[in-house]
Amino acid sequence: MTAPYGGHEAPDGEDQKQGERTPSAADLAGAYAAKAGLHRHHDGRIDVLRSAGGVRGMLESILPGLVFLAYFTLAQDLVLAVVLSLVVAAVFVVVRLVGRTPPTQAFAGIIGIGVSAALALFTGRAENFYLYGFFTNGAYIVALVASVLLKWPLMGVIFGFLRNEGLHWRQNPVRARQYRLGTWIMVAVLGLRLIVQMPLYFMGDAGLTALGATRLLMGVPLYALGLWVAWLVTRPIGAPGPEGD
């Protein structure tokens, strides 16, 4: 293989190094941002609906839990309520596979429902259907707080690539401060879920209906609202138009 080394062939080790370049922090951050599932319109506004998974993604997030809550409230049959929620989640996976669309979100949903169902069935307590969500919610809070403390606020990593800023915002104290604020907003959203829902969980059967209802209302809708607010407060200062990128 001839390379631009004055007409000489590059050493094999040099070719290997070029072909196996170690990913930089920017590469890793960009990959994370791409996997975060966030999107924006051509005019610079964040596409909240699409970022939340679109209509199908919202249904995949809401319906299994809604079916569980509705059936258990009416029939007080924990086993069948769990089975029905699993069936609904499985249907979404099958629909995505048949339609040849990425099934990642649906698979993640059925795994989450499966863990929740197992917790409820093994303990015999319907409220434990929502226990897994507390742990995942807490893990996200820890990750977001840690990112701020490490001076890599996750909203900056994600939004920075959506705005074509890359990681350059880290050298701008104002932009870094904005992205820290945006990250704290998402921490507040997740923290609010725990503040509202955990007391209902500890009420047992008496708080189950309210717990299920607040879980649905404070799920995708609250997440989407928090995401939109975080996007607004992290807009470049003095940017013309809706975003100015």
Side-chain angles (χ1 to χ4, degrees), residues 171-231:
Q171 280 71 52
N172 185 325
V174 175
R175 298 295 291 134
R177 185 163 56 249
Q178 286 180 286
Y179 282 130
R180 286 196 298 271
L181 176 59
T183 304
W184 283 121
I185 287 173
M186 296 308 297
V187 170
V189 166
L190 299 177
L192 182 62
R193 288 177 177 174
L194 297 182
I195 292 172
V196 172
Q197 295 171 14
M198 289 195 69
L200 298 173
Y201 168 79
F202 287 113
M203 290 173 62
D205 289 342
L208 181 64
T209 301
L211 174 59
T214 54
R215 176 62 65 88
L216 295 174
L217 293 174
M218 301 181 77
V220 175
L222 183 62
Y223 168 79
L225 176 61
L227 199 64
W228 178 69
V229 173
W231 178 265

Side-chain angles (χ1 to χ4, degrees), residues 4 18 20 42 53 159 191 243 245:
Q18 289 182 351
E20 299 179 0
H42 295 299
F159 289 167
E243 191 59 53
D245 294 333

Side-chain angles (χ1 to χ4, degrees), residues 75-113:
Q76 294 296 304
D77 186 335
L78 178 59
V79 174
L80 192 51
V82 164
V83 170
L84 288 175
S85 67
L86 283 170
V87 168
V88 172
V91 167
F92 282 119
V93 173
V94 172
V95 169
R96 282 189 177 268
L97 290 175
V98 171
R100 296 183 179 180
T101 56
T104 305
Q105 182 170 348
F107 273 126
I110 197 171
I111 291 173
I113 293 295

Side-chain angles (χ1 to χ4, degrees), residues 150-153 157 166-173 175-176 179:
L150 295 172
K151 299 183 179 180
W152 282 88
V157 174
L167 298 175
H168 299 298
W169 55 267
R170 298 190 72 241
Q171 280 71 52
N172 185 325
R175 298 295 291 134
Y179 282 130

